[in-house]
Amino acid sequence: MSENIKINVNGNQIESTPNKLLIEACEDSGIHIPRFCWHKRLDPVGMCRMCLVEIETPRGKMLVPSCTTEVTDEMVVDTESEVVKKAQEGVLEFLLINHPLDCPICDKAGECPLQDQTMAYGPGESRFVEEKRHFEKPISISEIILLDRERCILCARCTRFSDEISGDPLIEFIQRGNKTEVNTFPNEPFKSYFSGNTVQICPVGALTSTSYRFKARPWDLKSVRSTCNGCPVGCSTELNSSQNKMLRILGVDNDSVNQGWLCDKGRYNFEYLNSEFRLKNPLKKIDNELKETSVKEIYTELSELISDRNTNINFLIGTNSTNEDYVAFNEFAKNFPTTNQTFYLNDDYLYAGFFEQDINRATIDDLNNSEAIVIWAEDLKENLPVLYLRVRQAVKNGVKLIVFGHSNSTLEDIADFYYSEDIVSENFEIIKDISKLKGIKEHVKDKNVTAIIGKSTPYQLDEYLDKLVSYLVENSNSKIMNAFSSGNTFGAINNLDNVKNLRDFTKNVSSENTDLLFIVGSDPIGRSVFSNEIHRIIEDIDNVVCLDLFLHETSELCNYIIPTSSTLGEKEGTFTNIEFRTSRIDKLVPSPGQSLSDWEFISGLSNFCNFINNIDSLDGLNELAYQDFDNQDSPSFKNLDKPSNFDGIINDYQPNVSTMPNETITSQYFVGKKLYGDNITIRYSDSISLLGAKQFIEASESTIEKLNLSSGECTLKQNGHQVSANYVVNNKLADGVIFIPQNRRNFNRFDFSETIEISPNQSKEALNVN
Amino acid sequence: MSWNDSMIKQAKKIIKMYPQKRSAIGPLLHLAQSKDGYISDDSIAVISELVGITEVQVKSVSTFYSMYKQEPTGKYLLSVCKSISCEINNSKEIIDVVKDFTGLNNNETDENDLFTFEAVECIGACGGAPAMQINYETVEGLSSENTIKLCEWLKEEQPDVIIAEEMQDNFGGTKSFDWAIKDQSGTTGSVPGFQTFNTTKEKK
């Protein structure tokens, strides 16, 4: 590290690291320089000229934009001189020439940098009497984003974000001079998984989202910092509500995790909280019909059932609960010594191999600090979107990227070495000698490597992955991160003593060995590839208790249904992410009706059964979860609530996961997940519900020809089950490979390990006969 | 792809001339314009695929430069120069004459798609001012009468190919460099000086 340099700002000495931008150095020392276009995470452009400051040069004092000027030793800067003030007033007067004064109906008003800085630095009045320029207002540039071009001040934050950060530049400046506008290409909407970030960083109200538009005023919002539980990346979020309704989620800049960004699913998948279809009262099945009942009645019936402690109990646990909930279940299960106290996690991608080998765990920051990144997992952009952004950032910084997988992954465009068909077989096995591959020889062997390893499809055999992991462990200085893609998976495997996966559930659990089954916050029938088997098993079991937000394909089959609070904004707790970083989940809005947190329900049941109840408070559960840690670095509430720990604390738990190796079942299809699916929460989030509703399959042109498809639609058929779907031409897929997304409505009923008949749809004329 | 094989071949040749593919957008847009007379959305899609960037990025470049036409033009694009040399030599009158004859305002195309009129910045014919271009072929030393004759000729004859020399002979007046000192070596045509400084290269 080179030494700090000293600069003089407004007569005060401040220190800075060399090569820092002047605006950033001042910001770090508490001197605010107004700005519109400059953003900490984007490359500087000097578009808006708002950050002009005076510096002393050999030719006298000079106005320079502080966002494109690097600090130098002994630099003398004035940010408040008369000249600077005049420049700021001039810039603002120009910016306001074409900016409509529609603040009273603008969503940004109240938190608008243009409004605030006009107040603070503006001239106070305008000399512009001519007509302002007009555009149609607003136009929708995607299903979830609206653009008001009149309000745009051309700072290029959104266009730079989409180019530099997310890599899908679908919006750009069109025209020139005073005609310049931001727009998309005709019929090519801003279809990005990260488009919501542009709304957040827009310094005016030009970009708005359908979900928040006209819903509230910033000064009415209550807000709380939390962690997104949508996927194991665990982005830091700020939740906003007004009148007890969740209205908006913003990304918080957590340097080691999401750096301020969120994916659109994490940002907009919250409207279900206010859905009228939320369960409000406990339900009980009487004569095959669900009737409303009270929690007390359910407690009474259940306690009778389990009072002798010899009941065979099984748990099917979802990944949407907090760590404290998992601890509560774990403690509760200890009351039944005769059962094997196994928790089946609702994740068909989970496998144990990763935890059995002696590996060094990677953090997300390691991606930037290594010489190469090796990825063999689900498509990152679809499943761990913000991790994809971090990989992209590392690649931009010169880290080599080596990817294994079918040639369908979004990583293909940024990878230095992409090993597909020739090296990775249809069943996802590396069929060549790993050590002889060019990318591995040159960039992995004996180098510092960060690897992201996970199953590409539920049907991938464990041993294939183990082989790559052991190669990396033996031949390089590797750190490995496991890519499971659902929710608080890492919290579950940390806090539950014995975790198995869904495949094990279908093998081990039956009505013979289960008197009572708890299903917690999961819909395995609706979204897993073992849907049919699980359906059969659950139907057979006499007593099934379900804790969930909604009625869905799984909960409908249960005898008792308890409405629960959502982990998003309705309860407190902790969340553990992909790098075993634990951070706070906080509560902002009340949950509807008689909803309970998972732990509240289990604690109440313990009381009814007269068990020793050590799980009757959230703080108690939190202490239980982290009792093995040193007081100093345990992620307990006490520590996490210190401002220095808001970004979370990484812990070094050794989880106990033992899944059965998948040795037999394979699929001739490429089964995977897309970001938006037909999950119950997306279904009830109005602004994004349609994004996951389309039923489709993907294949290359020649494959489609072989299937004799022509009309754009096809029919999938298997054992009397039939779904009509679109097909999407994706020439990146190898010949003969058919991609089927598993998270689509009615696709779950297919058994992907068997053949599915794919035939052309009946033509429209034939359908119109009647 | 809406481009035929020979155009694609030409485009690939252009792309090869640049270290980065996207640097070829400019000449590729010219190629597109030479095909349709304007930059169509189809062409933009083809270019974006050829150089591997998104359509809107190509659109951004093509709308930045005013000489890439965004709309289809009529059969004859009448570009009358309005820059300083022509202005001094009465280009205003020429502009009015063309406007009157065609009934068009700046950047408009008539109903029959015959004429598009535009007043443009310098077309590099200051020596023969006032000047105009028909489909980018220059005619210099215009007078009002000759301009009307030229327009009438276009309207009546509707020639498929416009040739600068032919127009110059029939309707033009003083030409650039007619008055310049003759190039002694006789190697440079009407534009003395260019080749002696090696600023242009022989076509091969």
Side-chain angles (χ1 to χ4, degrees):
Chain A
M1 277 297 279
S2 47
E3 268 182 36
N4 277 0
I5 55 171
K6 288 195 175 71
I7 60 172
N8 184 313
V9 182
N10 302 340
N12 302 320
Q13 286 268 322
I14 66 168
E15 273 194 33
S16 160
T17 49
N19 302 329
K20 211 175 211 178
L21 292 172
L22 183 52
I23 194 170
E24 210 173 353
C26 288
E27 180 96 356
D28 293 347
S29 308
I31 300 160
H32 181 79
I33 298 173
R35 86 294 299 260
F36 294 109
C37 68
W38 182 74
H39 187 280
K40 192 176 155 196
R41 301 285 176 193
L42 301 173
D43 293 345
V45 280
M47 288 292 274
C48 73
R49 317 311 280 183
M50 191 63 211
C51 66
L52 290 172
V53 294
E54 260 191 317
I55 60 170
E56 271 175 22
T57 72
R59 287 178 293 160
K61 284 191 168 183
M62 221 167 141
L63 276 177
V64 294
S66 56
C67 74
T68 51
T69 310
E70 286 183 1
V71 289
T72 51
D73 206 7
E74 306 286 308
M75 191 182 230
V76 181
V77 186
D78 197 337
T79 69
E80 292 167 343
S81 70
E82 279 307 309
V83 178
V84 171
K85 274 186 188 153
K86 204 156 179 221
Q88 289 168 344
E89 284 184 3
V91 168
L92 273 169
E93 194 175 358
F94 272 122
L95 284 178
L96 289 173
I97 275 182
N98 275 317
H99 188 81
L101 298 180
D102 60 353
C103 305
I105 57 153
C106 177
D107 280 305
K108 199 79 177 180
E111 54 176 9
C112 173
L114 182 62
Q115 206 180 29
D116 296 346
Q117 294 183 36
T118 302
M119 276 296 289
Y121 305 97
E125 56 188 48
S126 170
R127 287 172 287 178
F128 190 73
V129 291
E130 290 80 4
E131 182 78 13
K132 292 176 190 254
R133 64 180 190 159
H134 291 294
F135 286 112
E136 187 191 336
K137 125 195 222 117
I139 52 170
S140 79
I141 52 172
S142 78
E143 281 99 336
I144 44 180
I145 309 285
L146 295 151
L147 168 66
D148 183 332
R149 289 163 294 174
E150 288 182 350
R151 291 180 186 155
C152 177
I153 57 166
L154 307 172
C155 68
R157 274 190 180 186
C158 55
T159 53
R160 276 181 292 150
F161 170 84
S162 63
D163 189 18
E164 293 165 19
I165 307 288
S166 68
D168 38 21
L170 296 168
I171 45 172
E172 252 302 348
F173 282 149
I174 305 289
Q175 283 281 3
R176 182 186 48 175
N178 69 340
K179 287 183 187 161
T180 316
E181 56 175 289
V182 171
N183 212 334
T184 57
F185 192 67
N187 300 324
E188 194 67 40
F190 185 32
K191 233 179 178 174
S192 165
Y193 283 164
F194 305 98
S195 58
N197 294 302
T198 61
V199 177
Q200 188 178 338
I201 59 176
C202 181
V204 291
L207 289 162
T208 46
S209 60
T210 49
S211 61
Y212 178 68
R213 205 174 151 72
F214 302 139
K215 290 278 162 62
R217 289 316 213 162
W219 52 85
D220 287 336
L221 292 177
K222 259 171 56 179
S223 76
V224 73
R225 180 164 172 167
S226 188
T227 306
C228 176
N229 68 327
C231 78
V233 177
C235 301
S236 296
T237 56
E238 181 190 315
L239 311 177
N240 289 161
S241 75
S242 175
Q243 297 177 358
N244 283 337
K245 268 190 177 176
M246 179 85 84
L247 289 178
R248 182 169 71 167
I249 300 177
L250 296 173
V252 171
D253 197 327
N254 179 343
D255 191 55
S256 339
V257 183
N258 59 322
Q259 307 195 330
W261 314 127
L262 291 181
C263 69
D264 285 355
K265 187 174 152 194
R267 189 182 292 270
Y268 297 122
N269 188 17
F270 66 87
E271 290 162 293
Y272 67 86
L273 293 176
N274 310 325
S275 164
E276 55 179 313
F277 298 103
R278 274 291 287 276
L279 290 171
K280 293 177 189 71
N281 296 305
L283 301 173
K284 189 180 139 186
K285 197 170 256 175
I286 306 168
D287 299 334
N288 250 340
E289 239 180 86
L290 288 167
K291 295 262 167 63
E292 281 191 9
T293 176
S294 68
V295 185
K296 203 172 165 190
E297 199 181 325
I298 292 181
Y299 278 156
T300 317
E301 286 183 25
L302 286 179
S303 62
E304 276 164 24
L305 198 71
I306 56 182
S307 56
D308 64 351
R309 300 202 183 195
N310 287 324
T311 333
N312 288 314
I313 297 187
N314 269 311
F315 296 89
L316 177 52
I317 299 270
T319 52
N320 294 319
S321 302
T322 61
N323 294 351
E324 284 68 24
D325 291 330
Y326 293 130
V327 173
F329 284 112
N330 201 39
E331 292 297 317
F332 179 75
K334 286 181 186 162
N335 290 311
F336 303 92
T338 51
T339 60
N340 48 10
Q341 299 169 13
T342 308
F343 295 91
Y344 297 95
L345 207 60
N346 176 28
D347 189 343
D348 32 24
Y349 288 76
L350 185 74
Y351 85 112
F354 177 72
F355 302 101
E356 284 161 359
Q357 303 206 33
D358 189 18
I359 56 140
N360 295 321
R361 274 188 208 153
T363 64
I364 298 176
D365 273 340
D366 285 332
L367 293 170
N368 262 334
N369 303 328
S370 46
E371 288 163 277
I373 301 171
V374 177
I375 299 180
W376 196 15
E378 291 172 89
D379 194 339
L380 285 195
K381 198 172 176 179
E382 304 283 355
N383 294 288
L384 300 161
V386 175
L387 189 63
Y388 164 82
L389 292 187
R390 294 297 305 269
V391 169
R392 209 174 167 273
Q393 179 194 43
V395 171
K396 257 181 101 177
N397 291 342
V399 182
K400 293 281 176 241
L401 177 61
I402 296 131
V403 183
F404 295 93
H406 273 217
S407 45
N408 182 38
S409 155
T410 40
L411 291 170
E412 196 169 352
D413 298 333
I414 56 169
D416 297 285
F417 297 91
Y418 196 92
Y419 295 120
S420 51
E421 295 91 68
D422 306 339
I423 288 116
V424 179
S425 77
E426 260 182 46
N427 292 323
F428 291 91
E429 179 184 11
I430 298 181
I431 41 180
K432 293 270 169 67
D433 184 355
I434 303 172
S435 59
K436 287 194 178 133
L437 299 173
K438 188 164 173 258
I440 298 280
K441 253 197 307 200
E442 284 176 9
H443 301 289
V444 173
K445 198 152 172 37
D446 304 324
K447 295 271 171 65
N448 294 326
V449 177
T450 305
I452 301 173
I453 310 279
K455 283 194 176 185
S456 307
T457 153
Y459 294 100
Q460 188 173 23
L461 302 193
D462 302 354
E463 55 186 284
Y464 299 162
L465 288 173
D466 294 342
K467 226 159 62 181
L468 180 64
V469 172
S470 30
Y471 176 84
L472 291 173
V473 171
E474 282 160 26
N475 294 292
S476 67
N477 179 17
S478 63
K479 291 184 171 180
I480 299 179
M481 184 187 293
N482 198 356
F484 303 133
S485 63
S486 55
N488 195 4
T489 304
F490 291 83
I493 58 182
N494 259 357
N495 292 299
L496 298 170
D497 281 345
N498 185 9
V499 175
K500 291 185 183 298
N501 67 10
L502 272 187
R503 185 188 300 280
D504 301 317
F505 180 86
T506 61
K507 293 273 152 54
N508 298 346
V509 178
S510 68
S511 57
E512 280 147 35
N513 62 19
T514 312
D515 302 320
L516 176 60
L517 173 67
F518 283 96
I519 303 178
V520 185
S522 47
D523 179 17
I525 298 179
R527 53 178 280 188
S528 90
V529 296
F530 308 110
S531 177
N532 294 330
E533 286 126 298
I534 295 173
H535 190 279
R536 253 182 316 239
I537 293 168
I538 293 178
E539 238 178 6
D540 279 355
I541 297 176
D542 289 336
N543 295 296
V544 186
V545 182
C546 173
L547 288 79
D548 216 306
L549 307 172
F550 291 100
L551 271 186
H552 48 64
E553 282 172 84
T554 309
S555 50
E556 269 168 3
L557 293 177
C558 303
N559 310 71
Y560 304 100
I561 303 170
I562 320 291
T564 53
S565 313
S566 168
T567 303
L568 175 63
E570 289 181 358
K571 52 179 159 178
E572 283 188 68
T574 54
F575 176 93
T576 303
N577 86 345
I578 196 163
E579 44 179 358
F580 291 85
R581 173 190 300 274
T582 302
S583 52
R584 198 80 148 87
I585 279 182
D586 222 333
K587 178 178 166 153
L588 183 65
V589 290
S591 35
Q594 302 186 45
S595 302
L596 294 171
S597 287
D598 299 349
W599 72 267
E600 283 171 336
F601 172 76
I602 284 296
S603 170
L605 185 59
S606 293
N607 277 343
F608 252 83
C609 303
N610 294 321
F611 294 158
I612 301 165
N613 194 349
N614 56 348
I615 51 174
D616 58 352
S617 79
L618 192 64
D619 291 335
L621 286 166
N622 183 257
E623 264 169 42
L624 262 179
Y626 305 112
Q627 57 189 359
D628 301 341
F629 282 87
D630 275 351
N631 220 352
Q632 287 297 315
D633 28 81
S634 92
S636 62
F637 286 158
K638 208 178 97 202
N639 280 343
L640 285 174
D641 286 344
K642 290 179 191 158
S644 57
N645 290 330
F646 278 175
D647 288 351
I649 299 171
I650 292 187
N651 59 30
D652 55 356
Y653 248 109
Q654 285 307 321
N656 178 8
V657 182
S658 57
T659 56
M660 251 195 273
N662 166 21
E663 278 159 351
T664 45
I665 314 167
T666 56
S667 172
Q668 53 180 305
Y669 306 103
F670 176 10
V671 181
K673 284 183 285 186
K674 289 279 179 190
L675 182 67
Y676 301 113
D678 190 45
N679 304 351
I680 197 80
T681 54
I682 295 186
R683 209 182 288 173
Y684 291 125
S685 293
D686 294 343
S687 36
I688 57 169
S689 60
L690 285 176
L691 297 175
K694 201 173 141 201
Q695 289 150 316
F696 67 94
I697 59 169
E698 284 179 16
S700 72
E701 222 165 326
S702 62
T703 316
I704 283 170
E705 252 168 55
K706 268 180 225 156
L707 291 167
N708 284 324
L709 305 181
S710 59
S711 67
E713 286 179 11
C714 59
T715 308
L716 312 183
K717 235 187 268 177
Q718 186 186 56
N719 301 331
H721 179 57
Q722 182 173 327
V723 178
S724 170
N726 290 67
Y727 60 81
V728 177
V729 178
N730 180 351
N731 283 329
K732 282 184 178 173
L733 284 171
D735 249 12
V737 174
I738 299 169
F739 174 80
I740 306 184
Q742 66 182 91
N743 50 357
R744 301 285 136 172
R745 195 173 298 192
N746 294 334
F747 276 27
N748 54 332
R749 302 264 210 82
F750 291 120
D751 182 354
F752 296 115
S753 59
E754 307 269 322
T755 308
I756 299 170
E757 195 187 316
I758 301 173
S759 55
N761 237 3
Q762 288 166 306
S763 69
K764 289 235 166 75
E765 287 140 53
L767 286 171
N768 283 340
V769 168
N770 294 324
Chain B
M1 281 213 181
S2 65
W3 285 13
N4 60 27
D5 287 351
S6 86
M7 277 184 76
I8 295 283
K9 215 171 144 190
Q10 217 175 331
K12 286 190 173 153
K13 214 167 142 190
I14 293 171
I15 291 171
K16 261 193 204 151
M17 292 161 67
Y18 297 87
Q20 278 188 11
K21 277 185 173 182
R22 62 185 293 167
S23 308
I25 298 176
L28 289 179
L29 285 168
H30 278 303
L31 187 65
Q33 184 152 300
S34 74
K35 170 178 169 272
D36 300 325
Y38 77 110
I39 311 290
S40 66
D41 284 354
D42 281 348
S43 293
I44 287 181
V46 174
I47 293 172
S48 85
E49 205 177 317
L50 284 171
V51 302
I53 60 175
T54 60
E55 283 110 325
V56 73
Q57 286 179 311
V58 181
K59 179 100 178 168
S60 180
V61 175
S62 91
T63 53
F64 185 88
Y65 297 103
S66 54
M67 287 175 79
Y68 294 128
K69 296 270 165 292
Q70 301 305 313
E71 305 283 332
T73 56
K75 188 171 180 187
Y76 303 114
L77 172 66
L78 314 177
S79 322
V80 187
C81 179
K82 62 173 181 182
S83 278
I84 183 75
S85 300
C86 293
E87 168 93 35
I88 292 169
N89 286 294
N90 243 348
S91 67
K92 238 180 173 168
E93 212 176 291
I94 310 291
I95 289 175
D96 287 342
V97 164
V98 175
K99 272 185 171 176
D100 279 353
F101 184 87
T102 57
L104 297 172
N105 281 322
N106 201 9
N107 288 323
E108 283 182 356
T109 305
D110 63 15
E111 289 163 3
N112 310 323
D113 286 339
L114 188 63
F115 290 122
T116 300
F117 164 71
E118 59 174 0
V120 294
E121 300 301 339
C122 185
I123 51 176
C126 302
M132 73 186 282
Q133 288 183 328
I134 304 359
N135 291 356
Y136 306 106
E137 292 284 306
T138 312
V139 48
E140 297 167 270
L142 287 166
S143 63
S144 306
E145 299 78 48
N146 277 348
T147 309
I148 294 174
K149 275 187 206 156
L150 172 60
C151 293
E152 276 168 352
W153 172 68
L154 289 171
K155 197 171 178 181
E156 276 153 30
E157 301 286 324
Q158 298 201 7
D160 285 332
V161 185
I162 304 284
I163 300 162
E165 282 77 12
E166 190 188 336
M167 285 195 298
Q168 187 67 36
D169 290 346
N170 295 332
F171 312 102
T174 322
K175 228 178 134 194
S176 295
F177 307 114
D178 273 2
W179 38 265
I181 304 161
K182 281 272 177 306
D183 172 25
Q184 297 299 322
S185 62
T187 51
T188 59
S190 60
V191 190
F194 266 26
Q195 260 183 353
T196 39
F197 290 108
N198 271 333
T199 47
T200 57
K201 276 186 188 159
E202 276 292 316
K203 277 184 191 165
K204 275 173 193 170

